[in-house]
Amino acid sequence: MHANGFAISAKEKKSRRLLLLKRSVPLYLLILPSLILLIVFTYIPMYGVTIAFKDYKTGLGIFGSEWVGFKNFTTFFNSYQFWPILRNTLVISIYSIVVMFPLPILVALICSQITSSRYKKFFQVTTYLPHFISTVVMCGMIMLFLSPSSGIIAKLLSFVGIDMPNLMGSASAFPHIYVWTEAWQHIGWDSILYIAALSSIDPTLYEAATIDGANKWHKIFHIDIPSLLPTIMIMLILRMGSVMSVGFEKVYLLQNSLNNATSEIIATYVYKMGLLKSQYSLSAAIGLFNNVINLILLLVFNFISAKISEDSLF
């Protein structure tokens, strides 16, 4: 009886799985195009990373080129440009996180406190709009505004007798220009996720807090912020997983010979080595090094977050 009962139970489980599979076929078909695109454009090209370990020659191809092991990595590590571009990348990236990570949370909290729907819509639209300005147009605006001869800011300062310095030619000013223009452009858009998290809070919590005599500040610190913490931790983990990745387009467009000392980052260096100087193996090695560091940081901060707050990606 026991064996027969076990056989019947196994048959039932198998039939249930088949039934569930049949019911889920439309869902599988729905995600199939995305899965194919992911495999074709993300996983299949991964074989190209092997050129980081080869002396790649375009005529020989990837598999025909000579295997050189970690030679390209040691070349990069021993280069006199290794430490400067690593420092520049970390400075801009960490500076961006310090400025741009808390500001969207602050914008979301401010937006949640606006009771008038008209003013709330105006606030949201004005903070979201800069996000849709293209990088090329944004860089053009920055250079026009900060021009020491014909820029808007220079014209305004000239009325009070102040001569505007050439900020775009100042190496020390470049990280500040990059980070604060990024903040102006993207904090509104980045706040959407936090606004959505705030909108999902149970209204009865606010009602109970009001009955207990809580004011707006009490509600923010004891209801809003604790409710945002899981979202904040997940976003922080993802942000720390891209510490070594600074936006290439904007840095490259704002870069010039005068600010190159602080604007040369890993992304622009890879572009110059790979496409301009045709050192494909070296640029691939640098890119692989960059991605490995990002992966390690992602795993480390995910582990720390799981231990401290029990919020993690997996």
Side-chain angles (χ1 to χ4, degrees):
M1 290 293 293
H2 179 72
N4 189 29
F6 178 80
I8 294 172
S9 176
K11 288 180 180 179
E12 288 180 354
K13 288 180 179 180
K14 186 176 180 180
S15 62
R16 288 176 182 176
R17 288 174 183 173
L18 290 174
L19 181 61
L20 182 62
L21 181 62
K22 289 179 181 179
R23 289 178 178 176
S24 303
V25 166
L27 296 176
Y28 292 135
L29 291 176
L30 186 66
I31 66 170
L32 184 60
S34 300
L35 185 62
I36 293 173
L37 289 174
L38 182 68
I39 294 172
V40 171
F41 292 103
T42 303
Y43 287 97
I44 293 178
M46 281 185 178
Y47 82 95
V49 79
T50 56
I51 69 173
F53 304 94
K54 293 191 173 189
D55 182 16
Y56 178 70
K57 305 294 184 184
T58 54
L60 297 175
I62 295 177
F63 296 105
S65 299
E66 180 186 359
W67 183 273
V68 295
F70 291 95
K71 180 182 176 181
N72 295 310
F73 293 91
T74 56
T75 300
F76 174 55
F77 296 150
N78 294 329
S79 170
Y80 72 93
Q81 292 179 305
F82 172 70
W83 290 111
I85 65 173
L86 182 62
R87 182 196 64 228
N88 295 340
T89 303
L90 290 175
V91 166
I92 294 176
S93 181
I94 294 173
Y95 190 3
S96 298
I97 292 173
V98 170
V99 171
M100 294 181 61
F101 187 76
L103 285 181
I105 301 172
L106 180 61
V107 169
L109 292 172
I110 293 173
C111 185
S112 68
Q113 296 301 314
I114 300 175
T115 55
S116 172
S117 60
R118 180 181 297 179
Y119 290 123
K120 179 177 285 189
K121 288 179 181 178
F122 175 78
F123 179 79
Q124 289 178 311
V125 169
T126 53
T127 54
Y128 296 168
L129 278 179
H131 174 79
F132 298 98
I133 301 175
S134 70
T135 304
V136 175
V137 174
M138 174 58 66
C139 292
M141 291 171 58
I142 293 170
M143 288 187 282
L144 285 174
F145 290 155
L146 299 181
S147 172
S149 58
S150 59
I152 297 175
I153 299 175
K155 294 293 185 183
L156 294 174
L157 291 176
S158 65
F159 288 116
V160 293
I162 300 175
D163 293 328
M164 182 176 175
N166 183 13
L167 295 178
M168 291 307 302
S170 172
S172 60
F174 182 85
H176 304 291
I177 294 171
Y178 178 89
V179 171
W180 287 104
T181 53
E182 279 285 290
W184 172 74
Q185 186 176 9
H186 297 299
I187 57 171
W189 184 260
D190 293 344
S191 68
I192 292 176
L193 187 63
Y194 300 109
I195 293 173
L198 287 172
S199 65
S200 65
I201 298 175
D202 189 353
T204 57
L205 293 176
Y206 296 107
E207 295 173 2
T210 303
I211 294 172
D212 291 337
N215 57 29
K216 288 185 178 181
W217 292 106
H218 293 144
K219 293 175 184 177
I220 290 173
F221 285 105
H222 298 287
I223 297 177
D224 292 343
I225 294 179
S227 300
L228 285 177
L229 276 178
T231 305
I232 291 172
M233 292 306 300
I234 295 299
M235 296 305 296
L236 181 61
I237 294 169
L238 294 173
R239 194 64 183 265
M240 295 307 297
S242 59
V243 165
M244 299 288 287
S245 300
V246 179
F248 161 76
E249 296 89 354
K250 187 174 180 180
V251 173
Y252 186 72
L253 290 171
L254 295 177
Q255 191 178 77
N256 56 56
S257 58
L258 297 176
N259 62 27
N260 194 67
T262 56
S263 64
E264 188 71 281
I265 59 173
I266 291 178
T268 57
Y269 187 70
V270 168
Y271 168 76
K272 292 173 182 177
M273 289 295 104
L275 294 181
L276 300 185
K277 296 186 178 180
S278 301
Q279 298 185 29
Y280 303 113
S281 294
L282 179 61
S283 62
I286 299 170
L288 181 59
F289 162 77
N290 192 44
N291 291 329
V292 168
I293 297 299
N294 279 335
L295 176 62
I296 293 172
L297 290 173
L298 176 65
L299 295 176
V300 168
F301 277 90
N302 186 71
F303 176 78
I304 294 173
S305 176
K307 292 294 183 182
I308 296 176
S309 65
E310 298 183 354
D311 294 312
S312 62
L313 297 177
F314 45 83

